[in-house]
Amino acid sequence: MAPLSFSSRNLLTLFHKPRVIPYEFLGQPSPALFSTHIVGDTPILVRDFIHKALYDPNVGYFSQKSASVGVLDRSIKFNNFEGRKAYMKHLDKIYKQSDVSWFTPVELFKPWYAHGIAESILRTTNLSIPLKIYEIGGGSGTCAKGILDYIKLNAPTRVYDNISYTSVEISSSLAAKQIQTVGEVDSHLSKFKVEHRDATDRKGWGDVNEQPCWVIMLEVLDNLPHDLIYSENQTSPWMEVWVERKQGEKLSELYRPIEDSLIKSCMEIVDLPDATTGGSRVMKNIWAKVFPKPRWCWLPTGCLKLLEVLHGALPKMSLIASDFSYLPDVKIPGERAPLVSTKKDGSSSDYNSYLDAEGDADIFFPTEFLLLERMDHYCSGWMKQQKDGEPLKKGKKRRTISLDTAAFMEEFDKDLKFLQLSNLRPFSPTKFDTTCPWLLSS
């Protein structure tokens, strides 16, 4: 996404009201027992397969790879680098010396990355009411500590004294690490708490909270499960994809007519064209017979479910989200297809199929930010799909902007000028040589 520039006055006007986004994962887990560690005798939807492969407490990737998220002993001294080449060399060295799968941008650019987020919140929220922040998937706690540090030093004392910062973390090991990290400053502990639970479970949020608040999601969207739909050719209808176990341990795909309500809703939001409409159907039939082309499309149903939960639980939330908009060298077919990667002995390798991931590989998707914005508006009620096939109706519109990392940091963290973020990108040189766009919505 192209860099954008916003003045402080424009941003203050845009975000004069805080806003929140509902977040619920993938519904109830399938009751299938694991003989392949993921799928039992009963077929499951692709989103449930991915959820198990990543989050199952016994065999999921994040359960087995407790040290998958890296933590730096100290901040990187960027002013010691002569340029991008020196930075990339240093980053490559860090990865080779570490057994972790990745370092998040907030970790590589600490404390500046978190300081920029804190400044954006302070500049665009109503400080006359207590500041309430939720972070989904807080990692090692680096972001939480950086935000609390910044607010303590730069906000009015009453703002820091009354702040409430809640981390919703599905990993027990990371939840403990967050307490340790934030606890490095004693005064933070009375304002910070970790709720060890799945943020996509609506029950965990309790009653609807009408208080204005902020929800932060950094590198969370890419690991939210997706569904896969398939069409045999240009004129065949879309079908939902299920995963089944055949011939002992072998996994294969099973195609069924579209019936899942979450898939249907996501298809409506994506505005997926029907193969049987638009243009000449006769010409389409001829073209499909001469040049048949199977189609695959990945739908961010996990993200949709998450936003539904967040908007339902926190109707006055403001959202800050950042994630990958592009992934290189993806081998799996389909629009918004994931990268399935594992790391062993210091080197990464990619799988050709998502079915090969049985708890030993990360599965992550690119985030289409225009689609994310549409889903946010849909879940907030501005574009709510009506029953009986009625068209989308307009309700309360969300104020949303998208900008890349460089633009975000240049706007909200003036101390980062020396980093020249357009050249120093906070990702592994082998996988993520790209910037991470941001969505701010209220």
Side-chain angles (χ1 to χ4, degrees):
M1 192 167 293
L4 300 175
S5 177
F6 294 87
S7 68
S8 301
R9 178 178 299 177
N10 288 339
L11 284 170
L12 186 59
T13 302
L14 185 62
F15 295 109
H16 70 278
K17 290 184 179 180
R19 154 200 175 182
V20 178
I21 293 185
Y23 169 154
E24 177 178 27
F25 245 51
L26 311 165
Q28 296 299 320
S30 169
L33 299 176
F34 311 132
S35 60
T36 65
H37 298 296
I38 302 295
V39 182
D41 296 329
T42 303
I44 59 177
L45 282 165
V46 169
R47 70 169 181 260
D48 294 317
F49 172 82
I50 293 174
H51 186 267
K52 290 174 181 293
L54 292 177
Y55 300 107
D56 182 85
N58 298 314
V59 297
Y61 174 75
F62 289 110
S63 300
Q64 298 186 75
K65 302 287 185 179
S66 59
S68 57
V69 180
V71 178
L72 296 177
D73 294 334
R74 60 183 65 86
S75 300
I76 296 176
K77 304 297 183 181
F78 290 96
N79 54 349
N80 291 339
F81 299 133
E82 294 182 356
R84 172 179 172 79
K85 185 176 181 180
Y87 163 70
M88 298 302 284
K89 184 178 180 180
H90 178 76
L91 191 57
D92 188 43
K93 180 181 177 182
I94 290 176
Y95 270 92
K96 288 181 177 179
Q97 291 178 342
S98 174
D99 190 37
V100 302
S101 298
W102 71 86
F103 289 92
T104 61
V106 74
E107 188 69 34
L108 291 174
F109 281 76
K110 67 180 179 184
W112 320 114
Y113 206 82
H115 287 184
I117 297 172
E119 174 61 24
S120 70
I121 292 175
L122 290 178
R123 199 186 301 179
T124 57
T125 196
N126 180 3
L127 296 179
S128 64
I129 60 177
L131 183 57
K132 192 175 187 66
I133 300 174
Y134 294 94
E135 184 178 2
I136 310 299
S140 62
T142 298
C143 182
K145 181 180 181 300
I147 289 176
L148 290 171
D149 286 346
Y150 188 88
I151 291 176
K152 181 178 182 179
L153 294 174
N154 295 277
T157 302
R158 60 176 175 79
V159 174
Y160 177 75
D161 289 343
N162 294 302
I163 192 173
S164 170
Y165 196 116
T166 302
S167 173
V168 180
E169 179 57 58
I170 195 171
S171 166
S172 58
S173 60
L174 288 177
K177 178 61 179 176
Q178 290 170 27
I179 292 291
Q180 179 183 353
T181 300
V182 175
E184 293 175 6
V185 178
D186 291 340
S187 61
H188 291 348
L189 286 177
S190 62
K191 298 124 183 25
F192 178 79
K193 67 176 179 179
V194 178
E195 295 181 357
H196 176 215
R197 58 182 175 88
D198 186 345
T200 63
D201 183 357
R202 177 62 182 86
K203 295 179 181 178
W205 292 95
D207 296 335
V208 175
N209 188 338
E210 295 287 349
Q211 180 181 351
C213 62
W214 288 84
V215 173
I216 301 171
M217 295 192 294
L218 306 180
E219 289 72 58
V220 169
L221 301 173
D222 61 286
N223 281 131
L224 292 184
H226 285 48
D227 269 294
L228 178 62
I229 56 176
Y230 168 79
S231 174
E232 186 177 358
N233 56 50
Q234 297 92 317
T235 59
S236 299
W238 288 105
M239 305 188 77
E240 57 190 36
V241 181
W242 292 62
V243 179
E244 63 177 349
R245 178 173 61 87
K246 298 180 70 174
Q247 299 176 0
E249 297 297 311
K250 186 176 181 180
L251 297 178
S252 62
E253 292 181 342
L254 175 67
Y255 309 115
R256 294 177 175 176
I258 301 291
E259 295 182 351
D260 181 78
S261 59
L262 196 56
I263 292 178
K264 287 181 179 180
S265 296
C266 206
M267 290 179 69
E268 292 288 347
I269 298 172
V270 172
D271 194 21
L272 210 57
D274 191 320
T276 60
T277 60
S280 170
R281 186 170 181 179
V282 174
M283 288 301 298
K284 282 187 175 183
N285 286 331
I286 295 174
W287 190 260
K289 290 180 180 178
V290 178
F291 300 105
K293 183 180 179 182
R295 301 177 296 165
W296 292 268
C297 182
W298 292 85
L299 299 174
T301 47
C303 179
L304 176 60
K305 188 62 176 177
L306 169 63
L307 292 177
E308 286 179 347
V309 170
L310 289 177
H311 276 289
L314 308 170
K316 294 184 180 180
M317 77 173 181
S318 296
L319 174 70
I320 296 180
S322 181
D323 224 305
F324 311 113
S325 61
Y326 166 78
L327 297 173
D329 305 323
V330 174
K331 300 178 180 180
I332 297 171
E335 186 176 0
R336 292 178 291 273
L339 189 65
V340 181
S341 181
T342 187
K343 185 176 180 181
K344 187 176 182 179
D345 299 329
S347 61
S348 298
S349 60
D350 301 337
Y351 290 159
N352 294 319
S353 171
Y354 69 94
L355 295 176
D356 294 332
E358 297 185 30
D360 63 341
D362 194 1
I363 306 173
F364 44 109
F365 297 83
T367 297
E368 188 177 322
F369 275 75
L370 289 178
L371 176 56
L372 175 62
E373 181 179 339
R374 290 207 302 272
M375 288 193 295
D376 176 48
H377 291 171
Y378 177 89
C379 293
S380 70
W382 180 48
M383 292 176 59
K384 198 67 176 178
Q385 186 68 29
Q386 300 302 290
K387 297 180 179 179
D388 304 323
E390 295 180 11
L392 296 173
K393 75 173 184 178
K394 292 185 178 180
K396 182 180 179 181
K397 184 177 181 180
R398 302 263 291 173
R399 291 170 294 276
T400 305
I401 61 171
S402 296
L403 56 163
D404 69 10
T405 298
F408 180 87
M409 290 304 171
E410 287 172 359
E411 177 64 38
F412 292 115
D413 199 331
K414 304 308 180 184
D415 294 332
L416 277 178
K417 286 184 177 179
F418 70 92
L419 293 182
Q420 299 178 351
L421 281 177
S422 59
N423 291 322
L424 298 183
R425 297 168 179 174
F427 305 105
S428 159
T430 58
K431 290 295 179 190
F432 305 121
D433 189 12
T434 182
T435 54
C436 219
W438 293 69
L439 176 79
L440 297 91
S441 187
S442 64

